[in-house]
């Protein structure tokens, strides 16, 4: 399955409760559009979305379950129960928060459960080189830059995609490294592959039309401001 994804684009089809396209049917339709456009895989959140997308597209699915537990920072598939839901929904790969953030369950126990009880390929979402090294040593199959810039430790460390981290991970690890996070253009995606990413995950730049619209509006506002001055 990793060979199928190699060199390709995975589209993250997610919408929060507050977003206009929230809902499993909307996300499944978005996944269909991504497949038509040439995506080799989908990343999706939650049992309902994953299950419906699995019914609509014939692509590998990276599944997560975002859930906040009071008193803890890790929220991407942070417990065995969350991972179980993702597996039951039909995900082919399960992604988890493998950062050093506080978590409701022991990371090694979670990894062992996914690998040995659920028999799923495991992606570790990390934010630093040290976290990537640790995740590989614990048995994770894929390491992704997903959370670079989003943890307390890494806020404001890189402007845009975490290319420096990606480069360090590729040079250090033996498992495939995935580029995800703040990738907004085809040029960003191509650069990630040139650095050595096995494949690229893109979310908001493709599947969040309100964010795409905001970027265009921001660009127009800058133009108007410059011409007024």
């Amino acid at each position: 399955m990793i060979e199928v994804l190699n060199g390709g684009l995975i589209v993250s089809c997610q919408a929060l409760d507050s977003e206009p396209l929230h809902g499993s049917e909307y996300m499944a339709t978005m996944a269909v559009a991504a497949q038509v456009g040439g995506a080799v895989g989908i990343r999706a959140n939650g049992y309902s979305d994953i299950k419906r997308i699995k019914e609509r597209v014939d692509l590998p699915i990276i599944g997560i379950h975002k859930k906040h537990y009071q008193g803890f920072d890790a929220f991407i598939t942070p417990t065995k129960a969350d991972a179980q839901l993702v597996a039951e929904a039909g995900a082919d790969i399960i992604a988890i928060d493998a950062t050093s953030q506080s978590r409701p369950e022991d990371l090694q126990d979670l990894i062992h459960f996914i690998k040995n009880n659920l028999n799923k390929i495991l992606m570790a979402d990390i934010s630093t080189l040290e976290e990537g090294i640790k995740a590989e040593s614990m048995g994770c199959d894929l390491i992704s830059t997903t959370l670079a810039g989003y943890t307390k430790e890494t806020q404001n460390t890189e402007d845009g995609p975490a290319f420096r981290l990606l480069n360090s991970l590729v040079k250090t690890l033996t498992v495939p490294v995935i580029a995800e996070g703040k990738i907004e253009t085809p040029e960003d995606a191509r650069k990630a592959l040139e650095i050595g990413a096995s494949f690229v995950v893109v979310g908001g730049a493709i599947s969040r039309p309100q964010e795409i619209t905001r970027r265009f509006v921001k660009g127009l506002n800058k133009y108007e401001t410059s011409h007024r001055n």
Side-chain angles (χ1 to χ4, degrees):
M1 179 170 297
I2 294 173
E3 290 180 0
V4 170
L5 300 176
N6 195 47
L9 172 69
I10 284 72
V11 175
S12 183
C13 298
Q14 300 181 45
L16 302 174
D17 294 355
S18 58
E19 295 184 62
L21 293 185
H22 177 69
S24 299
E25 198 58 45
Y26 290 129
M27 288 299 97
T29 301
M30 184 71 72
V32 172
Q35 182 173 25
V36 171
V40 299
I42 302 294
R43 178 164 164 135
N45 170 45
Y47 180 89
S48 297
D49 284 11
I50 295 168
K51 189 173 187 299
R52 187 65 181 123
I53 290 170
K54 191 73 174 178
E55 294 167 352
R56 295 282 305 276
V57 302
D58 184 23
L59 294 175
I61 296 178
I62 301 171
I64 64 174
H65 185 67
K66 291 181 177 177
K67 186 171 181 180
H68 293 271
Y69 289 85
Q70 187 172 1
F72 301 100
D73 294 321
F75 67 96
I76 298 177
T77 327
T79 71
K80 293 186 283 292
D82 298 323
Q84 181 80 46
L85 283 175
V86 172
E88 290 175 355
D92 303 285
I93 299 170
I94 297 178
I96 65 170
D97 182 321
T99 68
S100 58
Q101 297 186 110
S102 59
R103 54 192 318 111
E105 290 184 2
D106 180 73
L107 179 58
Q108 185 65 80
D109 288 347
L110 177 60
I111 292 170
H112 184 275
F113 177 77
I114 293 171
K115 297 281 292 177
N116 295 284
N117 293 68
L118 301 180
N119 298 309
K120 294 292 183 178
I121 298 170
L122 178 56
M123 176 187 285
D125 292 343
I126 56 87
S127 66
T128 68
L129 174 61
E130 293 73 23
E131 291 166 353
I133 293 171
K134 182 178 180 180
E136 181 183 46
S137 71
M138 290 177 133
C140 295
D141 304 294
L142 306 167
I143 309 297
S144 176
T145 61
T146 310
L147 293 172
Y150 294 101
T151 62
K152 293 176 183 177
E153 182 180 356
T154 62
Q155 285 178 349
N156 304 317
T157 55
E158 291 199 63
D159 183 21
F163 289 137
R164 289 196 298 272
L165 173 60
L166 177 64
N167 186 60
S168 297
L169 290 167
V170 167
K171 289 180 177 179
T172 305
L173 305 183
T174 59
V175 298
V177 178
I178 316 310
E180 180 176 6
K182 303 178 183 178
I183 298 173
E184 296 190 347
T185 67
E187 291 72 26
D188 287 342
R190 184 168 61 248
K191 182 175 180 179
L193 291 182
E194 290 171 350
I195 291 171
S198 293
F199 55 86
V200 179
V201 180
V202 178
I206 294 175
S207 58
R208 282 193 162 103
Q210 71 274 15
E211 296 301 327
I212 300 169
T213 303
R214 286 192 185 106
R215 285 200 297 274
F216 276 91
V217 171
K218 184 177 180 180
L220 292 175
N221 289 341
K222 286 183 177 178
Y223 174 82
E224 289 294 330
T225 300
S226 66
H227 277 65
R228 286 195 210 101
N229 297 332

